[in-house]
Amino acid sequence: MNVRYRVELSQTERTELTALLSGGKHVARKLKRAQILLAADAGASDAEIARSVGVGGSTVYRTKRRFVLGNMEAALSEEPRPGAKRKLTGKEEALLVATTCSSPPAGRARWTLELLADAIVKLTPHESLSRETVRRRLAENDLKPWRKDMWCIPQIDADYVARMEDVLDLYAEAPDPKRPVVCFDESPIQLIGEVRQPIPATPGQIERYDYEYRRNGTANLFVFLDPHRSWRKVKVTERRAAEDFAACMRDLVDIHYPRAERIRLVLDNLSTHSAGALYQAFPADEARRVLRRLEFHYVPKHASWLNMVEIEIGVLARQCLDRRIDSFARLVTETAAWEKRRNADRARVKWMFTTEKARAKMARAYPRPSVKSSQFQRVKTSVSKY
């Protein structure tokens, strides 16, 4: 270090470095180099700069040298580092990706890094391959063979689209007290009791409960949601048979909406969600009386997300049911309290998905009509007066 490099900044360079230090997100090393250049321009010695900036003397020397021999950009940026040569060629990396996306070996549920390394060694001239090399190449391609997601894959056909747009149009309608829209669904729940009494929380100690529990049976929650008037109802039953569904429908007609002319009900395709369930539970005249006030609108298969009450059930699960509830009576009390509070708060689901957005977002999935719209012509007719 017997050569002294003198840093002399122009006014433009000083302004640029000051702006760099005054705001924005930058790499710490770049900020330190900017501080070194400004301090050197002000006449500070290398030892003073190293002490004030918190770097070594060699860092100050290299930064000043790169500025004098190059420019400010060269002084602020990292020098290129050669690093080790990539062990896999482009074709070998493509082979690794293809192998990862294929079925694992017989007897194994999924690929692991070790299995992939062994497979590539057998398929290429490499004598060995580390799991870290495999991990980095997979990370570059955003591949995680040890993870899987389970989800329903809907078949978007004409029936799917018709049901979807029917439900979306219901949500988009203006509220009509004579023809309300009600979303309906059910959710099973286990009744879980404690084997040992939990220890309450104290300052500095969180609540503790035993991992062992007692299963006290099951129950079912029927949930109604009126998206237009911020109203929901939770009915707790011991089961969810056709007779229970029929009783819910009669309650909806006679208790919750006695003055409505027609109740449009959004529900899924469960076998008990049918008009026949009412005939199983009631005499024919009673079943017919209730059904005259109901209008069923079914969401497409594998599209329960279209039923707005699914969101409400999720809120119920997080706010009320995310704990151990040991008895049927306590479940009734807790859900009733949650329902009363949420109705009093006039909470509602903010639905943003519309028919127009569905056609724009799912345009490729929409079925292609077999007859072009231009082939349809309106025919003008006239009827003679008698």
Side-chain angles (χ1 to χ4, degrees), residues 156 161 358-368:
I156 302 180
V161 170
R359 292 177 180 176
K361 188 173 183 179
M362 304 170 62
R364 293 183 179 180
Y366 266 59
R368 304 299 178 187

Side-chain angles (χ1 to χ4, degrees), residues 191 218-220 236-238 325-333:
L191 301 176
T218 60
N220 181 71
V236 184
T237 61
E238 295 181 352
I325 298 178
D326 58 353
S327 66
F328 187 90
R330 186 184 173 200
L331 179 62
V332 172
T333 302

Side-chain angles (χ1 to χ4, degrees), residues 2 21 43 126 147 162 171 173 201 235 240 324 327 335 374:
N2 53 355
L21 294 171
H126 294 287
R147 295 188 59 183
Y171 293 160
E173 287 185 8
K235 182 178 180 180
R240 58 172 186 175
R324 293 177 179 178
S327 66
T335 53
S374 60

Side-chain angles (χ1 to χ4, degrees), residues 280-299:
Q280 287 182 250
F282 309 134
D285 57 343
E286 176 66 5
R288 193 70 245 160
R289 181 189 69 83
V290 175
L291 286 172
R292 286 195 184 100
R293 303 266 309 282
L294 296 175
E295 182 178 295
F296 292 163
H297 294 261
Y298 293 98
V299 298

Side-chain angles (χ1 to χ4, degrees), residues 185-235:
D185 202 2
E186 66 271 339
S187 177
I189 182 173
Q190 292 191 71
L191 301 176
I192 301 297
E194 301 287 357
V195 176
R196 298 172 183 84
Q197 191 66 24
I199 302 175
T202 58
Q205 179 65 59
I206 62 174
E207 180 185 5
R208 289 173 289 175
Y209 63 95
D210 198 277
Y211 72 94
E212 188 178 358
Y213 60 87
R214 181 184 294 109
R215 190 172 183 271
N216 296 332
T218 60
N220 181 71
L221 304 177
F222 285 111
V223 184
F224 300 91
L225 173 70
D226 186 332
H228 289 146
R229 69 182 183 102
S230 304
W231 171 86
R232 72 273 301 138
K233 177 65 180 177
V234 181
K235 182 178 180 180

